[in-house]
Amino acid sequence: MLKVGLTGGIGSGKSAVARRLVERGAVLVDADQLSREVVAPGTDGLAEVVAAFTERVLDADGALDRAALADLVFTDEAARRRLETIVHSRVRARTAELVAAAAPDAVVVNDVPLLVEVGLAPTYHLVVVVQTALATRLERLTRDRGMSRADAERRIAGQADDARRAAVADVLLCNDGSLAQLHAAVDALWHDRLVPFEDNVRHRRAVRAHRVTLSEPDPTWPQQYARLAARIRHAIAPADLRIDHIGSTAMPGLAAKDVIDIQLSVPSLADADGPLAQRLADAGFPRLPGDWWDTPRPAGAGRWEKRLHGSADPARPVHLHLRVTGSPGWRYALLMRDHLRADPDRRAAYLMLKRELAASAPDSGAYATAKDPWFDEEHLRAEQWAARTGWRP
């Protein structure tokens, strides 16, 4: 199944997005609702909260007085962490039960207000963040929830800011317009990305581009890599393997195919073929069929074998190269990246070549082969640079 994390600041309209996704067919797991259920009257969760904070957090009916509890923990960091320990562990357990009960082809949307604050982003195939202007959020909170402006500002300040949320967002939904506009954006997300993403994950199918189209440098490529790397790191845990951003999107100011190249260092190809491959596929990075290798430098040194995975996300192509730590192909990928990062003139020469070849050899296979002579020569320059600077991978 596809697991989607949904978050947004208070007053952003996240609940409207969740409702629309349910209308389209998503299975919703609402963390805020679960946080109420696990401390409902008669639960062991409520008993533990009372033991920690006394009966002053109960109302006249014996239910949790959430406002009174919020007043107690808002300015007391130790108390807040104690409450989170009680509630979050139970919410996680209940969430796991609901996800396990969903159909194998479900799109499960986990609505989590504090997704960023508690570091859950890497646990999902995709993170959707609803973002709304501060003035709009304040107006909604005072008008629709009856908060004072001071209380609304305090609640907003107690959450992650827009920049932190945007950093984990694979999808950023702007909700400054009408409800109809928001619904249109959600519908497009559902049909164009979530439904095919789920199908690809379930069938272990990676997205591949067969024609070469160069994109202008995207300053968010490193940030996109960071999100993907965090997801990979979570998927392969407890293994602690090196992950690197490589290829053209790792080089500042360089036009490139809009494909994030990532290198995952493995002890051996047997390790790459073991449970690691299944974990990566489950996380949305299935293995590409067939045999894969890198062209050796210099030529004639034998094939540099590797394993190649891709992304099941139709909107974010990825090449995930699994290479053995210390192998020639592993070293070459890091050397060429660092060499071209360090030498703007050679980077400019590479860009000129890329533009020429993209125009004359738009097929991805022909494009890659046509670059070989240039890289044979550039590899010698890179080795000289490494010797001169003392570079180490």
Side-chain angles (χ1 to χ4, degrees), residues 8-14 113 117 130-145 147 149 152-153 155-163 165 175-176:
I10 185 171
S12 65
K14 173 174 57 63
E117 291 84 344
V130 185
Q131 186 166 288
T132 307
L134 177 60
T136 304
R137 295 168 64 191
L138 288 170
E139 180 185 352
R140 288 174 181 168
L141 293 174
T142 54
R143 181 192 66 212
D144 300 337
R145 302 197 193 184
M147 292 184 185
R149 184 178 178 88
E153 290 175 342
R155 294 287 297 276
I156 289 173
Q159 295 183 333
D161 60 21
D162 285 347
R165 275 190 288 266
N175 186 25
D176 290 317

PDB file of all heavy atoms in Angstrom, residues 8-14 113 117 130-145 147 149 152-153 155-163 165 175-176:
ATOM      1  N   GLY A   8       0.274  20.093   8.269  1.00  0.00           N
ATOM      2  CA  GLY A   8       0.119  21.518   8.013  1.00  0.00           C
ATOM      3  C   GLY A   8      -0.113  22.204   9.338  1.00  0.00           C
ATOM      4  O   GLY A   8      -0.571  21.583  10.310  1.00  0.00           O
ATOM      5  N   GLY A   9       0.193  23.474   9.408  1.00  0.00           N
ATOM      6  CA  GLY A   9       0.009  24.206  10.648  1.00  0.00           C
ATOM      7  C   GLY A   9      -1.453  24.371  11.005  1.00  0.00           C
ATOM      8  O   GLY A   9      -2.344  24.257  10.151  1.00  0.00           O
ATOM      9  N   ILE A  10      -1.709  24.646  12.261  1.00  0.00           N
ATOM     10  CA  ILE A  10      -3.071  24.853  12.708  1.00  0.00           C
ATOM     11  C   ILE A  10      -3.701  25.997  11.910  1.00  0.00           C
ATOM     12  O   ILE A  10      -3.082  27.030  11.679  1.00  0.00           O
ATOM     13  CB  ILE A  10      -3.098  25.159  14.224  1.00  0.00           C
ATOM     14  CG1 ILE A  10      -4.547  25.264  14.724  1.00  0.00           C
ATOM     15  CG2 ILE A  10      -2.279  26.397  14.578  1.00  0.00           C
ATOM     16  CD1 ILE A  10      -4.653  25.339  16.234  1.00  0.00           C
ATOM     17  N   GLY A  11      -4.925  25.767  11.412  1.00  0.00           N
ATOM     18  CA  GLY A  11      -5.605  26.765  10.605  1.00  0.00           C
ATOM     19  C   GLY A  11      -5.234  26.760   9.140  1.00  0.00           C
ATOM     20  O   GLY A  11      -5.693  27.612   8.381  1.00  0.00           O
ATOM     21  N   SER A  12      -4.428  25.793   8.709  1.00  0.00           N
ATOM     22  CA  SER A  12      -3.990  25.765   7.311  1.00  0.00           C
ATOM     23  C   SER A  12      -5.034  25.182   6.368  1.00  0.00           C
ATOM     24  O   SER A  12      -4.969  25.394   5.156  1.00  0.00           O
ATOM     25  CB  SER A  12      -2.694  24.952   7.181  1.00  0.00           C
ATOM     26  OG  SER A  12      -2.927  23.591   7.521  1.00  0.00           O
ATOM     27  N   GLY A  13      -5.995  24.440   6.904  1.00  0.00           N
ATOM     28  CA  GLY A  13      -6.974  23.775   6.060  1.00  0.00           C
ATOM     29  C   GLY A  13      -6.622  22.330   5.765  1.00  0.00           C
ATOM     30  O   GLY A  13      -7.153  21.727   4.833  1.00  0.00           O
ATOM     31  N   LYS A  14      -5.758  21.761   6.584  1.00  0.00           N
ATOM     32  CA  LYS A  14      -5.330  20.365   6.399  1.00  0.00           C
ATOM     33  C   LYS A  14      -6.522  19.405   6.445  1.00  0.00           C
ATOM     34  O   LYS A  14      -6.566  18.426   5.676  1.00  0.00           O
ATOM     35  CB  LYS A  14      -4.314  20.021   7.490  1.00  0.00           C
ATOM     36  CG  LYS A  14      -3.882  18.573   7.556  1.00  0.00           C
ATOM     37  CD  LYS A  14      -2.784  18.388   8.567  1.00  0.00           C
ATOM     38  CE  LYS A  14      -3.185  18.873   9.952  1.00  0.00           C
ATOM     39  NZ  LYS A  14      -4.333  18.109  10.507  1.00  0.00           N
ATOM     40  N   PRO A 113      -0.700  16.282  12.737  1.00  0.00           N
ATOM     41  CA  PRO A 113      -0.380  17.697  12.930  1.00  0.00           C
ATOM     42  C   PRO A 113       1.090  17.949  13.247  1.00  0.00           C
ATOM     43  O   PRO A 113       1.661  18.946  12.800  1.00  0.00           O
ATOM     44  CB  PRO A 113      -1.288  18.106  14.093  1.00  0.00           C
ATOM     45  CG  PRO A 113      -2.424  17.132  14.047  1.00  0.00           C
ATOM     46  CD  PRO A 113      -1.838  15.845  13.574  1.00  0.00           C
ATOM     47  N   GLU A 117       7.500  17.938  13.706  1.00  0.00           N
ATOM     48  CA  GLU A 117       8.078  18.095  15.038  1.00  0.00           C
ATOM     49  C   GLU A 117       8.592  16.778  15.616  1.00  0.00           C
ATOM     50  O   GLU A 117       9.592  16.770  16.346  1.00  0.00           O
ATOM     51  CB  GLU A 117       7.035  18.703  15.982  1.00  0.00           C
ATOM     52  CG  GLU A 117       6.695  20.151  15.688  1.00  0.00           C
ATOM     53  CD  GLU A 117       5.634  20.329  14.608  1.00  0.00           C
ATOM     54  OE1 GLU A 117       5.351  19.360  13.842  1.00  0.00           O
ATOM     55  OE2 GLU A 117       5.078  21.437  14.509  1.00  0.00           O
ATOM     56  N   VAL A 130       0.215  21.155   3.729  1.00  0.00           N
ATOM     57  CA  VAL A 130      -0.720  22.219   3.384  1.00  0.00           C
ATOM     58  C   VAL A 130      -0.168  23.519   3.963  1.00  0.00           C
ATOM     59  O   VAL A 130       0.096  23.600   5.166  1.00  0.00           O
ATOM     60  CB  VAL A 130      -2.127  21.936   3.941  1.00  0.00           C
ATOM     61  CG1 VAL A 130      -3.107  23.001   3.452  1.00  0.00           C
ATOM     62  CG2 VAL A 130      -2.596  20.541   3.539  1.00  0.00           C
ATOM     63  N   GLN A 131       0.009  24.504   3.097  1.00  0.00           N
ATOM     64  CA  GLN A 131       0.607  25.768   3.535  1.00  0.00           C
ATOM     65  C   GLN A 131      -0.340  26.926   3.224  1.00  0.00           C
ATOM     66  O   GLN A 131      -0.863  27.024   2.114  1.00  0.00           O
ATOM     67  CB  GLN A 131       1.945  25.987   2.825  1.00  0.00           C
ATOM     68  CG  GLN A 131       2.713  27.205   3.315  1.00  0.00           C
ATOM     69  CD  GLN A 131       4.162  27.187   2.837  1.00  0.00           C
ATOM     70  OE1 GLN A 131       4.980  26.399   3.311  1.00  0.00           O
ATOM     71  NE2 GLN A 131       4.469  28.038   1.894  1.00  0.00           N
ATOM     72  N   THR A 132      -0.515  27.772   4.220  1.00  0.00           N
ATOM     73  CA  THR A 132      -1.448  28.896   4.104  1.00  0.00           C
ATOM     74  C   THR A 132      -0.830  30.115   4.752  1.00  0.00           C
ATOM     75  O   THR A 132      -0.116  29.999   5.760  1.00  0.00           O
ATOM     76  CB  THR A 132      -2.782  28.551   4.810  1.00  0.00           C
ATOM     77  OG1 THR A 132      -3.265  27.300   4.302  1.00  0.00           O
ATOM     78  CG2 THR A 132      -3.830  29.615   4.569  1.00  0.00           C
ATOM     79  N   ALA A 133      -1.107  31.287   4.190  1.00  0.00           N
ATOM     80  CA  ALA A 133      -0.555  32.532   4.718  1.00  0.00           C
ATOM     81  C   ALA A 133      -0.958  32.722   6.181  1.00  0.00           C
ATOM     82  O   ALA A 133      -2.071  32.366   6.598  1.00  0.00           O
ATOM     83  CB  ALA A 133      -1.034  33.710   3.887  1.00  0.00           C
ATOM     84  N   LEU A 134      -0.051  33.284   6.950  1.00  0.00           N
ATOM     85  CA  LEU A 134      -0.280  33.477   8.381  1.00  0.00           C
ATOM     86  C   LEU A 134      -1.555  34.273   8.653  1.00  0.00           C
ATOM     87  O   LEU A 134      -2.334  33.918   9.544  1.00  0.00           O
ATOM     88  CB  LEU A 134       0.931  34.177   9.007  1.00  0.00           C
ATOM     89  CG  LEU A 134       0.842  34.514  10.494  1.00  0.00           C
ATOM     90  CD1 LEU A 134       0.639  33.256  11.327  1.00  0.00           C
ATOM     91  CD2 LEU A 134       2.095  35.266  10.938  1.00  0.00           C
ATOM     92  N   ALA A 135      -1.768  35.336   7.900  1.00  0.00           N
ATOM     93  CA  ALA A 135      -2.950  36.171   8.129  1.00  0.00           C
ATOM     94  C   ALA A 135      -4.230  35.372   7.929  1.00  0.00           C
ATOM     95  O   ALA A 135      -5.206  35.533   8.698  1.00  0.00           O
ATOM     96  CB  ALA A 135      -2.931  37.383   7.192  1.00  0.00           C
ATOM     97  N   THR A 136      -4.234  34.492   6.935  1.00  0.00           N
ATOM     98  CA  THR A 136      -5.411  33.660   6.672  1.00  0.00           C
ATOM     99  C   THR A 136      -5.634  32.675   7.809  1.00  0.00           C
ATOM    100  O   THR A 136      -6.775  32.442   8.251  1.00  0.00           O
ATOM    101  CB  THR A 136      -5.242  32.909   5.345  1.00  0.00           C
ATOM    102  OG1 THR A 136      -4.995  33.842   4.303  1.00  0.00           O
ATOM    103  CG2 THR A 136      -6.476  32.083   5.015  1.00  0.00           C
ATOM    104  N   ARG A 137      -4.568  32.099   8.303  1.00  0.00           N
ATOM    105  CA  ARG A 137      -4.684  31.143   9.413  1.00  0.00           C
ATOM    106  C   ARG A 137      -5.226  31.825  10.663  1.00  0.00           C
ATOM    107  O   ARG A 137      -6.099  31.282  11.353  1.00  0.00           O
ATOM    108  CB  ARG A 137      -3.323  30.497   9.691  1.00  0.00           C
ATOM    109  CG  ARG A 137      -2.807  29.633   8.552  1.00  0.00           C
ATOM    110  CD  ARG A 137      -1.358  29.252   8.751  1.00  0.00           C
ATOM    111  NE  ARG A 137      -1.175  28.426   9.924  1.00  0.00           N
ATOM    112  CZ  ARG A 137       0.005  28.122  10.452  1.00  0.00           C
ATOM    113  NH1 ARG A 137       1.116  28.615   9.888  1.00  0.00           N
ATOM    114  NH2 ARG A 137       0.087  27.352  11.513  1.00  0.00           N
ATOM    115  N   LEU A 138      -4.710  32.999  10.966  1.00  0.00           N
ATOM    116  CA  LEU A 138      -5.191  33.730  12.143  1.00  0.00           C
ATOM    117  C   LEU A 138      -6.673  34.057  12.010  1.00  0.00           C
ATOM    118  O   LEU A 138      -7.446  33.934  12.971  1.00  0.00           O
ATOM    119  CB  LEU A 138      -4.374  35.007  12.333  1.00  0.00           C
ATOM    120  CG  LEU A 138      -2.935  34.824  12.820  1.00  0.00           C
ATOM    121  CD1 LEU A 138      -2.170  36.125  12.719  1.00  0.00           C
ATOM    122  CD2 LEU A 138      -2.911  34.296  14.256  1.00  0.00           C
ATOM    123  N   GLU A 139      -7.074  34.478  10.823  1.00  0.00           N
ATOM    124  CA  GLU A 139      -8.487  34.797  10.600  1.00  0.00           C
ATOM    125  C   GLU A 139      -9.362  33.566  10.806  1.00  0.00           C
ATOM    126  O   GLU A 139     -10.423  33.644  11.439  1.00  0.00           O
ATOM    127  CB  GLU A 139      -8.665  35.346   9.188  1.00  0.00           C
ATOM    128  CG  GLU A 139     -10.106  35.712   8.858  1.00  0.00           C
ATOM    129  CD  GLU A 139     -10.285  36.149   7.422  1.00  0.00           C
ATOM    130  OE1 GLU A 139      -9.270  36.312   6.715  1.00  0.00           O
ATOM    131  OE2 GLU A 139     -11.454  36.311   7.002  1.00  0.00           O
ATOM    132  N   ARG A 140      -8.932  32.416  10.277  1.00  0.00           N
ATOM    133  CA  ARG A 140      -9.727  31.193  10.433  1.00  0.00           C
ATOM    134  C   ARG A 140      -9.842  30.783  11.890  1.00  0.00           C
ATOM    135  O   ARG A 140     -10.906  30.365  12.357  1.00  0.00           O
ATOM    136  CB  ARG A 140      -9.080  30.068   9.623  1.00  0.00           C
ATOM    137  CG  ARG A 140      -9.228  30.220   8.123  1.00  0.00           C
ATOM    138  CD  ARG A 140      -8.433  29.157   7.401  1.00  0.00           C
ATOM    139  NE  ARG A 140      -8.520  29.288   5.950  1.00  0.00           N
ATOM    140  CZ  ARG A 140      -7.753  28.645   5.088  1.00  0.00           C
ATOM    141  NH1 ARG A 140      -6.808  27.819   5.550  1.00  0.00           N
ATOM    142  NH2 ARG A 140      -7.896  28.821   3.795  1.00  0.00           N
ATOM    143  N   LEU A 141      -8.736  30.864  12.628  1.00  0.00           N
ATOM    144  CA  LEU A 141      -8.746  30.418  14.023  1.00  0.00           C
ATOM    145  C   LEU A 141      -9.627  31.311  14.894  1.00  0.00           C
ATOM    146  O   LEU A 141     -10.313  30.829  15.809  1.00  0.00           O
ATOM    147  CB  LEU A 141      -7.324  30.382  14.572  1.00  0.00           C
ATOM    148  CG  LEU A 141      -6.399  29.335  13.939  1.00  0.00           C
ATOM    149  CD1 LEU A 141      -4.988  29.477  14.455  1.00  0.00           C
ATOM    150  CD2 LEU A 141      -6.920  27.929  14.210  1.00  0.00           C
ATOM    151  N   THR A 142      -9.607  32.610  14.637  1.00  0.00           N
ATOM    152  CA  THR A 142     -10.440  33.512  15.445  1.00  0.00           C
ATOM    153  C   THR A 142     -11.908  33.441  15.024  1.00  0.00           C
ATOM    154  O   THR A 142     -12.808  33.489  15.865  1.00  0.00           O
ATOM    155  CB  THR A 142      -9.930  34.960  15.332  1.00  0.00           C
ATOM    156  OG1 THR A 142      -9.858  35.332  13.945  1.00  0.00           O
ATOM    157  CG2 THR A 142      -8.552  35.092  15.962  1.00  0.00           C
ATOM    158  N   ARG A 143     -12.134  33.271  13.711  1.00  0.00           N
ATOM    159  CA  ARG A 143     -13.515  33.263  13.213  1.00  0.00           C
ATOM    160  C   ARG A 143     -14.191  31.909  13.409  1.00  0.00           C
ATOM    161  O   ARG A 143     -15.327  31.826  13.892  1.00  0.00           O
ATOM    162  CB  ARG A 143     -13.501  33.611  11.716  1.00  0.00           C
ATOM    163  CG  ARG A 143     -14.888  33.657  11.065  1.00  0.00           C
ATOM    164  CD  ARG A 143     -14.743  33.716   9.554  1.00  0.00           C
ATOM    165  NE  ARG A 143     -14.147  32.479   9.040  1.00  0.00           N
ATOM    166  CZ  ARG A 143     -13.363  32.442   7.963  1.00  0.00           C
ATOM    167  NH1 ARG A 143     -13.047  33.566   7.325  1.00  0.00           N
ATOM    168  NH2 ARG A 143     -12.880  31.289   7.546  1.00  0.00           N
ATOM    169  N   ASP A 144     -13.472  30.825  13.062  1.00  0.00           N
ATOM    170  CA  ASP A 144     -14.114  29.506  13.043  1.00  0.00           C
ATOM    171  C   ASP A 144     -13.966  28.741  14.358  1.00  0.00           C
ATOM    172  O   ASP A 144     -14.797  27.875  14.664  1.00  0.00           O
ATOM    173  CB  ASP A 144     -13.531  28.664  11.916  1.00  0.00           C
ATOM    174  CG  ASP A 144     -13.730  29.303  10.545  1.00  0.00           C
ATOM    175  OD1 ASP A 144     -14.660  30.128  10.421  1.00  0.00           O
ATOM    176  OD2 ASP A 144     -12.952  28.991   9.625  1.00  0.00           O
ATOM    177  N   ARG A 145     -12.908  29.027  15.123  1.00  0.00           N
ATOM    178  CA  ARG A 145     -12.691  28.273  16.362  1.00  0.00           C
ATOM    179  C   ARG A 145     -12.868  29.123  17.610  1.00  0.00           C
ATOM    180  O   ARG A 145     -12.707  28.625  18.730  1.00  0.00           O
ATOM    181  CB  ARG A 145     -11.289  27.647  16.356  1.00  0.00           C
ATOM    182  CG  ARG A 145     -11.041  26.723  15.181  1.00  0.00           C
ATOM    183  CD  ARG A 145      -9.849  25.832  15.426  1.00  0.00           C
ATOM    184  NE  ARG A 145      -9.406  25.152  14.223  1.00  0.00           N
ATOM    185  CZ  ARG A 145      -8.431  24.256  14.180  1.00  0.00           C
ATOM    186  NH1 ARG A 145      -7.776  23.954  15.299  1.00  0.00           N
ATOM    187  NH2 ARG A 145      -8.073  23.680  13.050  1.00  0.00           N
ATOM    188  N   MET A 147     -11.018  31.431  18.880  1.00  0.00           N
ATOM    189  CA  MET A 147      -9.820  31.753  19.649  1.00  0.00           C
ATOM    190  C   MET A 147      -9.603  33.265  19.672  1.00  0.00           C
ATOM    191  O   MET A 147      -9.979  33.981  18.736  1.00  0.00           O
ATOM    192  CB  MET A 147      -8.582  31.100  19.018  1.00  0.00           C
ATOM    193  CG  MET A 147      -8.528  29.602  19.081  1.00  0.00           C
ATOM    194  SD  MET A 147      -6.929  29.019  18.393  1.00  0.00           S
ATOM    195  CE  MET A 147      -7.206  27.250  18.439  1.00  0.00           C
ATOM    196  N   ARG A 149      -6.993  36.360  19.322  1.00  0.00           N
ATOM    197  CA  ARG A 149      -5.834  36.479  18.429  1.00  0.00           C
ATOM    198  C   ARG A 149      -4.559  36.070  19.148  1.00  0.00           C
ATOM    199  O   ARG A 149      -3.690  35.396  18.571  1.00  0.00           O
ATOM    200  CB  ARG A 149      -5.711  37.910  17.903  1.00  0.00           C
ATOM    201  CG  ARG A 149      -4.573  38.051  16.880  1.00  0.00           C
ATOM    202  CD  ARG A 149      -4.485  39.461  16.316  1.00  0.00           C
ATOM    203  NE  ARG A 149      -3.380  39.575  15.385  1.00  0.00           N
ATOM    204  CZ  ARG A 149      -3.450  39.307  14.090  1.00  0.00           C
ATOM    205  NH1 ARG A 149      -4.595  38.900  13.563  1.00  0.00           N
ATOM    206  NH2 ARG A 149      -2.387  39.450  13.307  1.00  0.00           N
ATOM    207  N   ALA A 152      -4.384  32.329  19.290  1.00  0.00           N
ATOM    208  CA  ALA A 152      -4.086  31.782  17.973  1.00  0.00           C
ATOM    209  C   ALA A 152      -2.609  31.954  17.629  1.00  0.00           C
ATOM    210  O   ALA A 152      -1.964  31.035  17.116  1.00  0.00           O
ATOM    211  CB  ALA A 152      -4.955  32.461  16.921  1.00  0.00           C
ATOM    212  N   GLU A 153      -2.072  33.123  17.922  1.00  0.00           N
ATOM    213  CA  GLU A 153      -0.653  33.367  17.657  1.00  0.00           C
ATOM    214  C   GLU A 153       0.224  32.451  18.495  1.00  0.00           C
ATOM    215  O   GLU A 153       1.249  31.951  18.019  1.00  0.00           O
ATOM    216  CB  GLU A 153      -0.319  34.827  17.942  1.00  0.00           C
ATOM    217  CG  GLU A 153      -0.918  35.797  16.929  1.00  0.00           C
ATOM    218  CD  GLU A 153      -0.670  37.245  17.305  1.00  0.00           C
ATOM    219  OE1 GLU A 153      -0.339  37.508  18.492  1.00  0.00           O
ATOM    220  OE2 GLU A 153      -0.803  38.115  16.422  1.00  0.00           O
ATOM    221  N   ARG A 155      -0.586  29.437  19.619  1.00  0.00           N
ATOM    222  CA  ARG A 155      -0.691  28.067  19.102  1.00  0.00           C
ATOM    223  C   ARG A 155       0.161  27.903  17.838  1.00  0.00           C
ATOM    224  O   ARG A 155       0.834  26.889  17.652  1.00  0.00           O
ATOM    225  CB  ARG A 155      -2.157  27.736  18.792  1.00  0.00           C
ATOM    226  CG  ARG A 155      -3.061  27.680  20.016  1.00  0.00           C
ATOM    227  CD  ARG A 155      -2.812  26.427  20.847  1.00  0.00           C
ATOM    228  NE  ARG A 155      -3.119  25.224  20.112  1.00  0.00           N
ATOM    229  CZ  ARG A 155      -4.345  24.696  19.998  1.00  0.00           C
ATOM    230  NH1 ARG A 155      -5.380  25.290  20.591  1.00  0.00           N
ATOM    231  NH2 ARG A 155      -4.552  23.593  19.318  1.00  0.00           N
ATOM    232  N   ILE A 156       0.136  28.899  16.964  1.00  0.00           N
ATOM    233  CA  ILE A 156       0.929  28.827  15.736  1.00  0.00           C
ATOM    234  C   ILE A 156       2.420  28.834  16.060  1.00  0.00           C
ATOM    235  O   ILE A 156       3.200  28.069  15.486  1.00  0.00           O
ATOM    236  CB  ILE A 156       0.559  30.002  14.802  1.00  0.00           C
ATOM    237  CG1 ILE A 156      -0.848  29.784  14.229  1.00  0.00           C
ATOM    238  CG2 ILE A 156       1.587  30.147  13.681  1.00  0.00           C
ATOM    239  CD1 ILE A 156      -1.366  30.958  13.425  1.00  0.00           C
ATOM    240  N   ALA A 157       2.820  29.689  17.000  1.00  0.00           N
ATOM    241  CA  ALA A 157       4.235  29.792  17.365  1.00  0.00           C
ATOM    242  C   ALA A 157       4.749  28.506  18.003  1.00  0.00           C
ATOM    243  O   ALA A 157       5.955  28.225  17.955  1.00  0.00           O
ATOM    244  CB  ALA A 157       4.449  30.967  18.319  1.00  0.00           C
ATOM    245  N   GLY A 158       3.860  27.720  18.601  1.00  0.00           N
ATOM    246  CA  GLY A 158       4.267  26.474  19.253  1.00  0.00           C
ATOM    247  C   GLY A 158       4.501  25.329  18.285  1.00  0.00           C
ATOM    248  O   GLY A 158       4.935  24.244  18.693  1.00  0.00           O
ATOM    249  N   GLN A 159       4.225  25.536  16.987  1.00  0.00           N
ATOM    250  CA  GLN A 159       4.427  24.494  15.985  1.00  0.00           C
ATOM    251  C   GLN A 159       5.627  24.842  15.095  1.00  0.00           C
ATOM    252  O   GLN A 159       6.169  25.938  15.150  1.00  0.00           O
ATOM    253  CB  GLN A 159       3.168  24.358  15.110  1.00  0.00           C
ATOM    254  CG  GLN A 159       1.940  23.879  15.863  1.00  0.00           C
ATOM    255  CD  GLN A 159       0.745  23.689  14.938  1.00  0.00           C
ATOM    256  OE1 GLN A 159       0.633  24.336  13.904  1.00  0.00           O
ATOM    257  NE2 GLN A 159      -0.150  22.787  15.312  1.00  0.00           N
ATOM    258  N   ALA A 160       6.016  23.877  14.271  1.00  0.00           N
ATOM    259  CA  ALA A 160       7.085  24.126  13.304  1.00  0.00           C
ATOM    260  C   ALA A 160       6.671  25.254  12.369  1.00  0.00           C
ATOM    261  O   ALA A 160       5.482  25.424  12.065  1.00  0.00           O
ATOM    262  CB  ALA A 160       7.361  22.858  12.500  1.00  0.00           C
ATOM    263  N   ASP A 161       7.647  26.024  11.897  1.00  0.00           N
ATOM    264  CA  ASP A 161       7.312  27.112  10.987  1.00  0.00           C
ATOM    265  C   ASP A 161       7.210  26.585   9.554  1.00  0.00           C
ATOM    266  O   ASP A 161       7.473  25.416   9.268  1.00  0.00           O
ATOM    267  CB  ASP A 161       8.329  28.247  11.098  1.00  0.00           C
ATOM    268  CG  ASP A 161       9.751  27.810  10.767  1.00  0.00           C
ATOM    269  OD1 ASP A 161       9.926  26.776  10.092  1.00  0.00           O
ATOM    270  OD2 ASP A 161      10.691  28.513  11.188  1.00  0.00           O
ATOM    271  N   ASP A 162       6.824  27.476   8.639  1.00  0.00           N
ATOM    272  CA  ASP A 162       6.603  27.065   7.250  1.00  0.00           C
ATOM    273  C   ASP A 162       7.864  26.503   6.610  1.00  0.00           C
ATOM    274  O   ASP A 162       7.807  25.568   5.807  1.00  0.00           O
ATOM    275  CB  ASP A 162       6.095  28.256   6.435  1.00  0.00           C
ATOM    276  CG  ASP A 162       4.635  28.592   6.725  1.00  0.00           C
ATOM    277  OD1 ASP A 162       3.971  27.759   7.368  1.00  0.00           O
ATOM    278  OD2 ASP A 162       4.182  29.673   6.311  1.00  0.00           O
ATOM    279  N   ALA A 163       9.015  27.077   6.933  1.00  0.00           N
ATOM    280  CA  ALA A 163      10.267  26.621   6.326  1.00  0.00           C
ATOM    281  C   ALA A 163      10.576  25.181   6.718  1.00  0.00           C
ATOM    282  O   ALA A 163      10.999  24.372   5.878  1.00  0.00           O
ATOM    283  CB  ALA A 163      11.408  27.543   6.729  1.00  0.00           C
ATOM    284  N   ARG A 165       8.424  22.874   7.654  1.00  0.00           N
ATOM    285  CA  ARG A 165       7.465  21.982   7.005  1.00  0.00           C
ATOM    286  C   ARG A 165       7.778  21.829   5.523  1.00  0.00           C
ATOM    287  O   ARG A 165       7.699  20.729   4.961  1.00  0.00           O
ATOM    288  CB  ARG A 165       6.035  22.489   7.223  1.00  0.00           C
ATOM    289  CG  ARG A 165       5.417  22.039   8.548  1.00  0.00           C
ATOM    290  CD  ARG A 165       3.940  22.358   8.600  1.00  0.00           C
ATOM    291  NE  ARG A 165       3.720  23.784   8.748  1.00  0.00           N
ATOM    292  CZ  ARG A 165       3.549  24.406   9.891  1.00  0.00           C
ATOM    293  NH1 ARG A 165       3.576  23.715  11.023  1.00  0.00           N
ATOM    294  NH2 ARG A 165       3.352  25.708   9.940  1.00  0.00           N
ATOM    295  N   ASN A 175      -3.054  26.783   0.129  1.00  0.00           N
ATOM    296  CA  ASN A 175      -4.483  26.913   0.430  1.00  0.00           C
ATOM    297  C   ASN A 175      -4.838  28.355   0.765  1.00  0.00           C
ATOM    298  O   ASN A 175      -5.429  28.641   1.806  1.00  0.00           O
ATOM    299  CB  ASN A 175      -4.861  25.973   1.592  1.00  0.00           C
ATOM    300  CG  ASN A 175      -6.361  25.954   1.838  1.00  0.00           C
ATOM    301  OD1 ASN A 175      -7.140  26.227   0.939  1.00  0.00           O
ATOM    302  ND2 ASN A 175      -6.761  25.626   3.060  1.00  0.00           N
ATOM    303  N   ASP A 176      -4.443  29.265  -0.099  1.00  0.00           N
ATOM    304  CA  ASP A 176      -4.793  30.671   0.077  1.00  0.00           C
ATOM    305  C   ASP A 176      -5.966  31.085  -0.805  1.00  0.00           C
ATOM    306  O   ASP A 176      -6.390  32.243  -0.763  1.00  0.00           O
ATOM    307  CB  ASP A 176      -3.585  31.561  -0.241  1.00  0.00           C
ATOM    308  CG  ASP A 176      -2.487  31.431   0.805  1.00  0.00           C
ATOM    309  OD1 ASP A 176      -2.809  31.405   2.004  1.00  0.00           O
ATOM    310  OD2 ASP A 176      -1.310  31.324   0.410  1.00  0.00           O
TER     311      ASP A 176
END
